[in-house]
């Protein structure tokens, strides 16, 4: 019996390709917290959105008096889960001709295209839901060039808005790499030794080795997105613990079957997810 692709490649092999690509250079999805909707009975889920500040003030309370009561109104945003997926087809002839490596390179390109698409959807939510104080532009550099003061001004806004400073991350596009690396106060990932990481100076643990992690601007970790969605001078200082949600109705799934009609092994890759921004103030835009 002729050898099939499934004799050489497992579902886990393909799943690892997807995870590798997703965690490598596609970063907009990292702005969102994960919400597990796999056990929900509906295709949609509603997330609460604060409709304003507390209505009420702290006051002195005389003996025997009632406490002043504060109220807070909420609205909701509904997220509908969308199915995203693709099929990867490997003919028996590719196995027989021993070109499986070349074929897998082609399939990796397909997976990359799908991951780019989903990350682009996350980017659209990210870029359209930003802090009302932005976009930040210190204005000292040429248009389209991010400077250190842009980042410090955004960080200042994050502090004033009581975001979680330890969770902040700067998301920007690969075309801004040169401007960042040439900042006087930027430390590249390659320069961050184990001793620095162990001392806890770098937020979010040991990130050296992740290709998307470029380094730190002051104490802000910087991640590059390679989808082409970001423009020169465009970045977002975001607190992922407060900004929004990526709701997963069905987690990434990889399955395979054999199609006799084309004598090929077919892998199906799919997931059902949706995105929602519930606190735009946790996302500070930089646009120079």
């Amino acid at each position: 019996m002729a050898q099939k692709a499934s004799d050489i490649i497992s579902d886990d092999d393909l799943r690892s390709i997807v995870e590798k690509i997703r965690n490598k250079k596609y970063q907009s999805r990292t702005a969102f917290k994960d919400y597990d909707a796999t056990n929900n009975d509906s295709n949609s889920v509603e997330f609460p959105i604060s409709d304003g500040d507390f209505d009420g003030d702290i006051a002195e309370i005389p003996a025997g008096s009632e406490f002043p009561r504060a109220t807070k109104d909420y609205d909701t945003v509904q997220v509908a889960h969308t199915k995203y997926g693709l099929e990867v087809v490997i003919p028996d002839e590719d196995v027989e001709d021993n070109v499986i490596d070349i074929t897998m390179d082609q399939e990796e390109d397909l997976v990359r295209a799908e991951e780019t698409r989903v990350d682009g959807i996350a980017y659209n939510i990210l870029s359209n839901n930003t802090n009302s104080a932005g976009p930040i532009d210190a204005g000292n550099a040429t248009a389209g060039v991010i400077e250190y003061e842009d980042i410090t001004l955004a960080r200042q806004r994050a502090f004033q808005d009581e975001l979680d400073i330890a969770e902040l991350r700067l998301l920007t596009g690969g075309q801004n790499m040169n401007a960042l690396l040439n900042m006087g106060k930027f430390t590249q990932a390659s320069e961050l030794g184990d001793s620095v990481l162990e001392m806890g100076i770098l937020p979010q643990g040991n990130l050296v080795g992740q290709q998307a992690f470029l380094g730190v601007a002051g104490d802000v970790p910087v991640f590059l997105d390679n989808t082409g969605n970001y423009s020169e001078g465009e970045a977002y200082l975001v607190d992922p613990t407060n900004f929004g949600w990526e709701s997963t109705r069905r987690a990434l799934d990889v399955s395979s079957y054999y199609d006799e009609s084309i004598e090929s092994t077919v892998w199906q890759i799919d997931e059902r997810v949706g995105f929602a921004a519930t606190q735009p103030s946790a996302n500070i835009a930089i646009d120079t």
Side-chain angles (χ1 to χ4, degrees), residues 11 14 83 85-88 253-257 266-270:
D11 294 355
L14 204 58
K83 181 178 179 180
L86 54 80
E87 284 191 339
V88 176
D253 183 53
V254 177
S255 59
S256 61
Y257 66 92
V266 181
W267 275 273
Q268 289 183 333
I269 305 169
D270 72 284

Side-chain angles (χ1 to χ4, degrees), residues 144-263:
V145 176
I146 298 173
E147 58 181 313
Y148 186 67
E149 190 176 353
D150 294 319
I151 299 173
T152 58
L153 286 172
R155 191 188 187 286
Q156 175 177 291
R157 171 51 56 186
F159 180 80
Q160 291 174 318
D161 287 351
E162 299 186 358
L163 303 182
D164 191 337
I165 300 299
E167 296 294 335
L168 292 176
R169 58 172 52 202
L170 188 77
L171 303 181
T172 188
Q175 57 269 57
N176 293 305
M177 178 188 291
N178 185 59
L180 290 161
L181 292 180
N182 282 287
M183 283 182 186
K185 297 181 180 180
F186 190 85
T187 305
Q188 298 183 43
S190 58
E191 297 174 3
L192 295 168
D194 292 338
S195 60
V196 175
L197 297 169
E198 289 171 2
M199 291 171 61
I201 295 175
L202 176 64
Q204 303 171 49
N206 187 345
L207 302 173
V208 173
Q210 293 188 14
Q211 292 192 33
F213 174 59
L214 186 65
V216 292
D219 63 350
V220 177
V222 178
F223 295 83
L224 297 184
D225 185 282
N226 206 31
T227 59
N229 293 314
Y230 295 75
S231 302
E232 290 186 359
E234 178 186 10
Y236 300 92
L237 184 67
V238 61
D239 171 5
T241 64
N242 285 294
F243 172 62
W245 298 91
E246 176 178 345
S247 180
T248 301
R249 186 72 177 91
R250 183 168 67 242
L252 175 74
D253 183 53
V254 177
S255 59
S256 61
Y257 66 92
Y258 188 74
D259 189 337
E260 293 281 359
S261 65
I262 57 174
E263 295 184 325

